[in-house]
Amino acid sequence: MEEKKYLNLFNKVGYGSGDFAANMVYSMVSSFVMIYLTNTIGMAAGIIGTLILISKLTDGISDIIFGSILDRTHTKMGKARPWMLCSYIGNSVALIALFAIPAGIGANAQYIYFFIAYTLLNAVFYTANNIAYSALTSLITKNSNERVQMGTFRFIGATLGNVLVSNYTLVMVEKFGGGAAGWKTTAIIFAVIGLVVNTISVFSVKELPEEELMDGVKVSGTEKIGFLETLKLLLSNKYFDMLAMLYLLFYLMMGVSMGAAIYYFTYNCGDANFFGKMVSMSSIASIIGLLLAPSLVKRFKSIRIINLGFFLVNLVVRIIYMVFAISNNAPVLVGMYGLVSLTCCTLGGTFNALVSEAADYSFLKTGKRLDGSMYSCTSFGMKVGGGIGSALSGWLLAAAKFDASALTQSAGCSNMLTFMFAGIPVIITAAIVFIYFKLDVEKANTRLRAEKDHVMN
C-alpha cells in the first residue's frame, strides 16, 4: 500500500533552506574561529582547545534538556517551529559577538569573553535551533520516503551554506579591511543572511496535528515524563546510542580535519585558497550524491545497507587520499576530495530518517513518543563531536609548537597538520563502518510492527 504524501516541492526546499541558515553559524565557527583567535586576536591554541572542550561538556547536557522541553511544548505553531524561529535571533547575536572579541580588555578577559560567547552560541541558541529543526522531520510527515527526501534537501542546503562561508569568508574579511574589523563585518553579514533564511524556512512547513502523529491512539503524555525518565528511555534505546555516537564521530572527524585544512593548505601547500576550492569540489559531489540518496533507499529498501556500502568505499578512498596528503599535492587533493565527499554523503541524506526510525522504535517498545528528545542525538553529536574535534585541534597544534607569527612551520608541525587533515579521518571512518554494521533499526521496527499486528488480529 502506497504511503500518504504530506509534502510538496516548496515544503521540501523550504525545509532544506533551514540548514543553509544553520551553516551561516556552524561553518563560520567550525572552519574559522580557531584561525581568527590565533592569527588575529593572538590567543593560544591550547587554551582555546581546552575552553572549547569544557564548553562542549555543558553543551551535551543542554541538548537532552532542550529535547525534553520540546516534547512538552504545545502551541498553535506546533512543537518545534516556535523554537526554531526565536532561537535564531540568539544565534545571530552570539555569532557577531564571537567574532568581535574586544582588543583592549586584557588576555584573561578575552578568554572569558570567548568562553561565554561560544557557550551561549552553542549550548543555548544553536541547540534550540538545531534540535527543533531536526525534529521537524518526524513532525511534518509520516511518509518514510519523504523523510529521506527531507534529509536530502536539508543537506543540500547545508552544503550550499558551507560553500558560501568556506569560499567567501577570507575574501570578505580582506575586502572589509582585514583584521578584527573584517572578521566582525563578515560575521554580521552571515548572521543577517541566516536570520532571513531561517525565518523563511520556519513558515514554509506546518506540523501535523498530534492525533495524526499518534495514529489516533491515545498515549501517555510526554509532559508527565520527568527529565530523568526521559534520559533513561533514551539511553535504553540502543539505536539512539549508536546514532549519537555515529554523529559524534563524524563531526569529531570533520572538526579536526576541516579545522586543520585551512592551516594545512596555508603552511604545507603555501596557498590558503585551496581550502575554498576543496570545499567547492566537496559540495558539488555531495549534492550529486544527496540527489541520488532517495532513489537508492527506495531501490534497496535499507538505509543501513546503503550507508554501510558507501562508507566501506569511503574508507578505501580516504587511505589513498592520505598518501597524496603526505606529498602535499594540493591540486590532486582538491580534485579527489569530491570522491571523498561523494562516498560519505549518504550519512547526511539519510541520518534524520534513521533518527525517525529510532523514535518509532521507542514508541513501539514503550508507547511514548519522544521525537524532540530523540533528535537531541543530532545536536549532541554535531556539537560535542565538533567541539572535541576543535579542542583536539588546539591541543595538537600546541603540541606541535605551531607559531602563528611564522610564515613557515617546523617539519614536526607540518607532519602534524597532515595527520590531522588526512590521517585521523581514516581511523574514525573505520569506526563509523562498524557502527553501521550494527545499526539494524529498520529490521527491528519491521519485526515490532509485525508482532503488534499479530496481537491485534
Side-chain angles (χ1 to χ4, degrees):
M1 183 176 178
E2 187 175 352
E3 292 182 275
K4 178 182 176 181
K5 294 182 179 180
Y6 296 86
L7 307 175
N8 57 35
L9 182 61
F10 172 76
N11 301 139
K12 296 170 188 175
V13 173
Y15 174 79
S17 69
D19 230 352
F20 178 93
N23 269 271
M24 295 299 99
V25 174
Y26 183 81
S27 294
M28 183 77 171
V29 174
S30 63
S31 295
F32 296 106
V33 74
M34 184 68 77
I35 201 165
Y36 160 72
L37 294 173
T38 58
N39 290 24
T40 300
I41 306 300
M43 298 167 71
I47 297 175
I48 296 166
T50 300
L51 291 175
I52 287 175
L53 181 61
I54 295 171
S55 175
K56 289 302 180 181
L57 293 177
T58 63
D59 201 355
I61 297 172
S62 73
D63 290 323
I64 299 175
I65 291 174
F66 181 75
S68 180
I69 292 172
L70 186 122
D71 283 326
R72 292 161 177 75
T73 299
H74 301 278
T75 73
K76 291 182 179 180
M77 285 182 66
K79 289 177 175 290
R81 291 166 70 227
W83 288 104
M84 182 180 167
L85 178 65
C86 297
S87 62
Y88 206 96
I89 298 172
N91 267 347
S92 298
V93 173
L95 179 66
I96 296 168
L98 187 59
F99 283 90
I101 295 179
I105 61 174
N108 290 337
Q110 285 180 332
Y111 286 115
I112 294 171
Y113 177 101
F114 160 72
F115 181 79
I116 293 173
Y118 186 86
T119 301
L120 283 174
L121 175 62
N122 287 278
V124 180
F125 302 119
Y126 192 86
T127 290
N129 184 263
N130 188 258
I131 293 179
Y133 177 59
S134 298
L136 285 175
T137 303
S138 292
L139 297 174
I140 65 177
T141 179
K142 293 165 59 181
N143 185 300
S144 58
N145 193 49
E146 285 182 341
R147 288 174 173 177
V148 175
Q149 292 172 354
M150 287 172 67
T152 296
F153 279 97
R154 171 182 182 173
F155 279 86
I156 289 175
T159 298
L160 294 175
N162 192 24
V163 168
L164 176 63
V165 173
S166 299
N167 279 280
Y168 291 101
T169 294
L170 297 179
V171 175
M172 291 168 65
V173 169
E174 291 303 313
K175 183 175 179 61
F176 295 117
W183 283 105
K184 180 180 178 180
T185 304
T186 301
I188 290 172
I189 292 172
F190 286 144
V192 172
I193 292 173
L195 184 61
V196 171
V197 175
N198 182 79
T199 302
I200 293 171
S201 180
V202 168
F203 289 103
S204 69
V205 296
K206 290 184 178 181
E207 296 180 32
L208 297 176
E210 289 192 38
E211 56 269 22
E212 185 166 359
L213 287 170
M214 301 296 186
D215 296 322
V217 178
K218 185 176 178 59
V219 297
S220 55
T222 54
E223 64 274 5
K224 297 180 182 179
I225 305 174
F227 172 72
L228 291 179
E229 185 180 355
T230 298
L231 185 61
K232 182 180 178 181
L233 287 169
L234 290 176
L235 296 179
S236 64
N237 184 333
K238 63 181 180 180
Y239 299 114
F240 172 86
D241 300 336
M242 289 182 196
L243 289 167
M245 181 56 66
L246 184 67
Y247 232 43
L248 187 151
L249 286 172
F250 184 79
Y251 279 94
L252 190 160
M253 174 176 69
M254 297 302 292
V256 174
S257 181
M258 297 305 286
I262 187 70
Y263 290 95
Y264 173 83
F265 285 116
T266 299
Y267 296 103
N268 287 24
C269 301
D271 188 351
N273 291 320
F274 279 116
F275 175 71
K277 295 175 182 177
M278 182 193 74
V279 173
S280 295
M281 183 62 68
S282 168
S283 301
I284 293 170
S286 294
I287 289 173
I288 292 171
L290 289 166
L291 290 172
L292 292 174
S295 60
L296 289 172
V297 172
K298 191 172 183 179
R299 178 176 179 181
F300 292 99
K301 304 191 183 303
S302 174
I303 298 173
R304 168 180 166 258
I305 294 299
I306 291 169
N307 279 292
L308 183 59
F310 267 74
F311 271 87
L312 279 169
V313 176
N314 183 252
L315 179 59
V316 175
V317 171
R318 285 190 183 275
I319 292 172
I320 299 171
Y321 193 81
M322 182 173 61
V323 174
F324 286 105
I326 292 171
S327 63
N328 299 327
N329 194 328
V332 172
L333 292 173
V334 168
M336 191 177 174
Y337 204 77
L339 187 57
V340 172
S341 299
L342 180 65
T343 52
C344 70
C345 68
T346 54
L347 182 145
T350 62
F351 191 83
N352 272 16
L354 280 174
V355 180
S356 292
E357 291 283 351
D360 290 345
Y361 179 81
S362 278
F363 178 60
L364 292 167
K365 293 279 286 187
T366 68
K368 297 180 174 68
R369 288 213 70 94
L370 299 171
D371 296 285
S373 299
M374 193 64 62
Y375 274 94
S376 67
C377 74
T378 63
S379 182
F380 174 87
M382 178 186 296
K383 292 189 284 128
V384 175
I388 294 174
S390 296
L392 185 59
S393 294
W395 295 335
L396 291 176
L397 285 172
K401 297 183 174 13
F402 168 76
D403 184 358
S405 64
L407 294 177
T408 60
Q409 302 298 323
S410 67
C413 185
S414 294
N415 291 336
M416 179 62 78
L417 291 174
T418 301
F419 175 67
M420 292 164 64
F421 175 57
I424 288 177
V426 172
I427 299 169
I428 294 179
T429 301
I432 289 174
V433 168
F434 177 76
I435 293 175
Y436 270 124
F437 181 75
K438 307 290 288 185
L439 192 59
D440 61 344
V441 62
E442 299 158 287
K443 183 178 179 181
N445 282 347
T446 299
R447 184 182 67 253
L448 288 172
R449 291 188 181 102
E451 291 173 356
K452 181 180 177 181
D453 291 341
H454 179 73
V455 171
M456 293 178 64
N457 294 328

